[in-house]
């Protein structure tokens, strides 16, 4: 059974949402550094593995204990696959082909797919006409982002499609994660269980594909990026993620990706010497317009002012 939530966010939820956007925006920056020395799957495993250690350490200090129910453990596995393994692998691989700023903008399409998935699966998050309009505008933004490469067969097209596929996985994860509120599980335990399940799934795969990690290869800068990615952009971020999901629902939570590109672009421009074309900003503007319609508040106020 999935419990109901408040469909509108208060000041507390908005503050957490902004904080989450900064942490996730930083993940594109950290990955942009790490891919210079490490293969994508190894980065993902280090990300969730170190995050699991950090979260369980916090849980033990707080006196929290891991659940023993097989149903809860299975839910952790499902959440780990949808919210970590599948999207992380796709995004990290995509960033080996395209700039981190572009990856973050494509990732901003997440709420578009979340509206569709939540409308089909969650009775209390049905899409209203304004949200449907937002989906249409947002999809237009995604098409603008991909642009002509989709026709000409540009080498980066597959990487862009991988990022979009990751957003679909995130959408299903947001809906799937609603069950943890009904289970009355602390968000720290939920976050720890999710990344632990992800690490267990990824470990044998990484050993087969990438082989054992040569600890002498990554530079100190790469290790700092990995720690930042795991502790800040994963461990801390997922505690906020589940707190917002618990109170405001999947559709509101994943509006965070509207804010993520801002911090990701600034970090990429400042530290990675990356650049974006005008068409990318046009696509971002359309996605932002679509997400504002999905949220609905500004549009409703405007309609009231005109009345």
């Amino acid at each position: 059974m999935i419990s109901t939530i408040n469909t509108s966010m208060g000041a507390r939820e908005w503050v957490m949402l902004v904080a989450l956007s900064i942490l996730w925006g930083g993940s594109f920056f950290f990955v942009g550094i790490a891919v210079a020395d490490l293969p994508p799957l190894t980065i993902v495993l280090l990300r969730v593995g170190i995050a699991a250690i950090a979260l369980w350490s916090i849980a033990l200090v707080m006196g929290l204990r891991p659940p023993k129910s097989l149903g809860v453990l299975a839910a952790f596995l499902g959440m780990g696959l949808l919210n970590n393994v599948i999207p992380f692998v796709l995004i990290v691989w995509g960033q080996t082909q395209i700039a981190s700023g572009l990856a973050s903008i494509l990732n901003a399409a997440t709420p578009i797919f979340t509206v569709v998935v939540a409308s089909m699966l969650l009775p209390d998050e049905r899409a209203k006409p304004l949200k449907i309009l937002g989906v249409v505008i947002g999809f237009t933004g995604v098409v603008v982002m991909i642009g002509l490469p989709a026709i000409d067969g540009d080498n980066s097209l597959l990487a862009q499609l991988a990022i979009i596929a990751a957003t679909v996985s995130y959408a299903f994860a947001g809906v799937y994660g609603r069950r943890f509120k009904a289970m009355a599980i602390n968000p720290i335990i939920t976050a720890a269980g999710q990344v632990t399940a992800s690490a267990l799934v990824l470990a044998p795969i990484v050993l087969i594909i990438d082989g054992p990690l040569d600890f002498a290869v990554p530079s100190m800068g790469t290790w700092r990026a990995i720690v930042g990615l795991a502790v800040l952009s994963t461990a801390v971020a997922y505690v906020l993620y589940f707190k917002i999901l618990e109170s405001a629902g999947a559709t509101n939570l994943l509006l965070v990706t509207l804010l993520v590109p801002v911090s990701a672009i600034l970090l990429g421009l400042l530290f990675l010497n990356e650049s974006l074309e005008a068409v990318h900003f046009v696509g971002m503007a359309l996605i932002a317009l679509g997400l504002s319609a999905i949220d609905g508040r500004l549009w409703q106020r405007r309609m009231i002012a005109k009345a």
Side-chain angles (χ1 to χ4, degrees):
M1 178 180 177
I2 296 177
S3 57
T4 59
I5 46 87
N6 296 318
T7 56
S8 61
M9 292 191 294
R12 179 173 174 269
E13 284 81 11
W14 277 110
V15 169
M16 289 193 294
L17 199 73
V18 171
L20 181 57
S21 75
I22 294 171
L23 293 172
W24 275 353
S27 72
F28 291 91
F29 169 68
F30 292 135
V31 169
I33 295 173
V35 291
D37 288 340
L38 296 170
L41 286 177
T42 297
I43 293 173
V44 175
L45 177 59
L46 289 172
R47 176 178 187 176
V48 294
I50 295 173
I53 295 171
L55 285 166
W56 283 121
S57 299
I58 294 171
L60 291 175
V61 169
M62 293 178 63
L64 302 173
R65 294 294 179 265
K68 298 179 180 180
S69 166
L70 289 178
V72 174
L73 296 178
F76 286 160
L77 177 59
M79 193 67 183
L81 289 172
L82 290 171
N83 213 29
N84 290 158
V85 177
I86 295 172
F88 283 4
V89 169
L90 291 172
I91 289 173
V92 173
W93 177 81
Q95 280 194 254
T96 65
Q97 312 294 318
I98 61 178
S100 61
L102 175 55
S104 69
I105 293 173
L106 290 171
N107 187 59
T110 299
I112 297 168
F113 298 104
T114 304
V115 167
V116 176
V117 175
S119 294
M120 293 188 298
L121 301 178
L122 298 176
D124 59 346
E125 293 196 48
R126 300 293 187 198
K128 297 178 181 178
L130 190 57
K131 285 192 174 184
I132 298 297
L133 176 62
V135 170
V136 174
I137 297 173
F139 267 118
T140 303
V142 174
V143 172
V144 170
M145 287 299 309
I146 295 178
L148 292 179
I151 299 174
D152 297 338
D154 188 275
N155 289 333
S156 68
L157 174 60
L158 190 58
Q160 294 180 57
L161 291 176
I163 303 295
I164 293 174
T167 70
V168 176
S169 186
Y170 279 138
F172 278 98
V175 172
Y176 187 86
R178 283 279 305 277
R179 69 191 59 219
F180 292 108
K181 180 181 180 181
M183 293 178 178
I185 300 174
N186 186 288
I188 294 176
I189 294 296
T190 303
Q194 171 192 266
V195 293
T196 300
S198 303
L200 292 174
V201 170
L202 281 168
I205 299 173
V206 172
L207 286 174
I208 292 172
I209 297 177
D210 291 347
L213 173 62
D214 184 350
F215 286 88
V217 172
S219 66
M220 186 56 64
T222 296
W223 280 118
R224 284 195 291 265
I226 289 294
V227 171
L229 180 66
V231 176
L232 298 176
S233 298
T234 308
V236 177
Y238 273 122
V239 173
L240 289 174
Y241 174 98
F242 285 109
K243 282 183 175 293
I244 302 170
L245 181 61
E246 186 178 80
S247 61
T251 303
N252 285 327
L253 165 65
L254 293 173
L255 288 175
V256 66
T257 48
L258 170 62
L259 304 173
V260 167
V262 178
S263 54
I265 288 171
L266 289 176
L267 289 168
L269 290 175
L270 289 173
F271 298 105
L272 300 180
N273 297 317
E274 294 179 350
S275 61
L276 296 174
E277 299 175 8
V279 67
H280 299 149
F281 289 101
V282 173
M284 181 172 61
L286 286 170
I287 290 173
L289 181 62
L291 296 184
S292 71
I294 291 169
D295 181 59
R297 292 173 180 83
L298 293 176
W299 292 59
Q300 290 170 357
R301 289 173 187 169
R302 190 174 182 84
M303 287 187 289
I304 292 172
K306 285 185 176 182

